[in-house]
Amino acid sequence: MDPIKNPFSPGAGSPPPELVGRDEVLEQARILMGRVRAKRPEKSLLLTGLRGVGKTVLLNEMERIAQQNGYRSILVEAHEEKSLAALLAPHLRRLLFDLNRMAGTGDKVRRGLAVLKSFIGAVRVSIGEVEVGLDIEPEQGTADSGDLEVDLPDLFTVLAEAAEERQTPVAILIDEIQYFSQSELSALIMAMHKMQQRQLPLVLLGAGLPILPGLAGESKSYAERLFSFPDIGPLSRADAAKALQDPVNLVQVEFEVTALQEIFRLTHGYPYFLQEWGYQSWNHAACSPITLEDVRNATARVIPRLDANFFRVRFDRLTPSEKNYLRAMAHLGPGPHRSSDIASVLGCKVTSLGPVRAKLMKKGMIYSPTHGDMAFTVPLFDEFMRRAIPEFQAR
Ligand SMILES: Nc1ncnc2c1ncn2[C@@H]1O[C@H](COP(=O)(O)OP(=O)(O)OP(=O)(O)O)[C@@H](O)[C@H]1O
Ligand SMILES: [Mg+2]
């Protein structure tokens, strides 16, 4: 059928034709924003889930909800090479300028800018980055110690006080939150702790791979009290069917039931894969209904496309020993797997694999769902690894 009319949207962060199965978490976000605006305490949200489940799409939707509720917002994406301070500073500057233009009296916005300036000065000294022009005298003694766990809470406090003065709540949305270092995450947690203690109108909405298991000690217990961690997973069979059927029904096309069953069998309900199979099946079908045969024929195209795009970009960033570790995991199946089992497939000691495991976690390829276990962050990655490296001998 006509590819131009194809309703499906495979791609990182591409809004799906219909955001299925996420009503509950979106409602949670609405409640959070309503309560914080009314100065009632509520846990911030950190969405966690595997690659391609729709975290970015949800975060964008939550930003829209925030704006509808009168929030000013910033949305940033963390990455491996950029520090939290460098990432946030320019956005906070813009936010303060926005607040400055709003009606209202008082000097808290100006103070916010002065503190931001001292914060930037302190980070530049300690980590040598960010240049954010601010034609203002820095305020000495606030947010300028160079210790992020002290400075970030100070900075958030003056920012939120400025927001409060202008009667405008603020939402900070951060995607790929797992790329922050331990100390950056703990600084964020401390900052949100302060927001809650003072009942200041600032919410944090984050998304990323599961981070809680990686947090230690005090940060972890604070995090559990301050945040809820909705698990964003694959869609149920019924929701997956709806995500495929509804968009095509709008243009008088339908999927046969057996076609839907086959797509669910292949995708396990993972949103990215649903979009990809929906997309190719549509293009492949000559007319409505889209049949099992169409889906089967489309599969022959989808797999190489996924291999070449979704999986391959991640694979190509790996060193030979990292590939070998993942291949050993794939040998054991979809997972999670015990570190000791992976080591025995590779014929070596668990301890000797510590460094390669740490690098794979840093690259966001694997995570530890529970102590001693390792799992892929990319759904169906085990199948891909077996296709990519067919010849593999377990020890
Ligand atoms: N609820 C949903 N129903 C149907 N399709 C969805 C849904 N949520 C997301 N998608 C589709 O899934 C794909 C992946 O979405 P998105 O990029 O938000 O995932 P992600 O979790 O952020 O992935 P990553 O961890 O790789 O950044 C997109 O093509 C999107 O259109
Ligand atoms: Mg994403």
Side-chain angles (χ1 to χ4, degrees):
M1 289 183 288
D2 185 357
I4 295 177
K5 298 203 178 116
N6 194 326
F8 294 105
S9 58
S14 321
E18 188 176 331
L19 192 51
V20 178
R22 306 300 190 207
D23 294 350
E24 206 177 303
V25 68
L26 289 171
E27 184 56 19
Q28 224 180 321
R30 271 188 210 99
I31 293 171
L32 163 65
M33 289 187 250
R35 286 183 61 86
V36 168
R37 202 184 44 194
K39 288 184 146 287
R40 301 210 171 87
E42 190 55 73
K43 287 181 171 182
S44 290
L45 282 179
L46 287 182
L47 314 174
T48 61
L50 302 185
R51 294 282 172 206
V53 288
K55 301 179 296 295
T56 300
V57 160
L58 276 174
L59 212 55
N60 286 327
E61 182 62 18
M62 288 177 182
E63 183 175 39
R64 221 176 49 78
I65 295 173
Q67 290 172 351
Q68 275 173 353
N69 280 276
Y71 278 71
R72 290 277 153 162
S73 61
I74 66 175
L75 187 133
V76 296
E77 183 182 325
H79 35 101
E80 277 165 278
E81 274 105 47
K82 205 159 190 179
S83 72
L84 180 145
L87 191 74
L88 281 183
H91 293 274
L92 297 181
R93 171 179 176 272
R94 179 182 58 71
L95 192 69
L96 283 161
F97 281 145
D98 279 357
L99 291 172
N100 201 26
R101 275 194 294 274
M102 298 178 69
T105 50
D107 59 1
K108 299 242 162 88
V109 178
R110 223 188 135 66
R111 172 157 191 244
L113 286 165
V115 170
L116 178 62
K117 177 122 181 184
S118 45
F119 175 78
I120 293 166
V123 221
R124 191 166 51 224
V125 174
S126 57
I127 43 182
E129 43 186 295
V130 267
E131 187 66 65
V132 180
L134 270 179
D135 189 13
I136 195 166
E137 277 299 305
E139 177 178 309
Q140 280 181 359
T142 310
D144 61 359
S145 73
D147 175 355
L148 196 66
E149 289 185 27
V150 176
D151 294 349
L152 198 68
D154 281 356
L155 180 63
F156 272 29
T157 303
V158 289
L159 172 69
E161 283 171 354
E164 188 177 39
E165 190 182 81
R166 299 295 152 111
Q167 294 176 3
T168 304
V170 164
I172 298 181
L173 300 102
I174 307 180
D175 203 359
E176 302 283 351
I177 203 153
Q178 77 282 352
Y179 284 133
F180 289 143
S181 67
Q182 286 275 354
S183 62
E184 289 172 329
L185 278 173
S186 109
L188 259 187
I189 292 164
M190 297 322 233
M192 290 315 293
H193 186 213
K194 214 158 169 183
M195 295 305 97
Q196 189 154 73
Q197 280 175 337
R198 307 249 178 116
Q199 300 196 339
L200 287 166
L202 187 153
V203 295
L204 181 69
L205 298 155
L209 302 172
I211 52 158
L212 240 199
L215 286 174
E218 211 175 331
S219 304
K220 184 163 182 160
S221 69
Y222 271 128
E224 281 164 342
R225 272 183 282 140
L226 293 168
F227 294 93
S228 67
F229 294 86
D231 182 19
I232 309 303
L235 301 184
S236 66
R237 187 179 283 275
D239 284 338
K242 195 167 151 56
L244 292 162
Q245 195 72 283
D246 284 4
V248 300
N249 283 173
L250 280 178
V251 285
Q252 285 72 51
V253 171
E254 65 176 350
F255 279 94
E256 278 186 348
V257 172
T258 48
L260 293 175
Q261 285 167 344
E262 176 69 356
I263 297 183
F264 190 77
R265 187 182 73 80
L266 293 160
T267 59
H268 304 253
Y270 279 104
Y272 185 88
F273 300 138
L274 288 173
Q275 295 300 323
E276 197 68 75
W277 256 279
Y279 185 82
Q280 295 296 341
S281 302
W282 168 287
N283 283 356
H284 206 276
C287 57
S288 180
I290 302 172
T291 63
L292 174 61
E293 180 74 16
D294 293 327
V295 171
R296 289 205 173 124
N297 289 326
T299 301
R301 263 195 251 170
V302 176
I303 304 259
R305 255 180 69 109
L306 285 176
D307 282 3
N309 303 309
F310 189 74
F311 295 122
R312 178 64 63 173
V313 287
R314 306 194 151 90
F315 185 80
D316 286 346
R317 297 167 60 223
L318 304 170
T319 63
S321 60
E322 290 164 2
K323 286 179 185 164
N324 206 35
Y325 186 92
L326 295 180
R327 184 61 184 83
M329 280 176 73
H331 178 76
L332 295 167
H337 304 296
R338 303 217 45 90
S339 290
S340 51
D341 293 343
I342 302 166
S344 59
V345 171
L346 288 167
C348 46
K349 287 211 178 92
V350 182
T351 45
S352 70
L353 293 170
V356 66
R357 199 167 53 223
K359 279 193 222 123
L360 284 167
M361 286 175 80
K362 183 141 201 295
K363 287 185 181 175
M365 294 302 303
I366 56 173
Y367 72 107
S368 174
T370 47
H371 186 71
D373 277 356
M374 281 297 145
F376 292 110
T377 59
V378 183
L380 311 186
F381 206 71
D382 62 312
E383 293 174 19
F384 165 74
M385 284 306 295
R386 291 195 296 271
R387 284 195 295 275
I389 310 178
E391 66 297 337
F392 174 80
Q393 282 291 310
R395 292 299 169 97

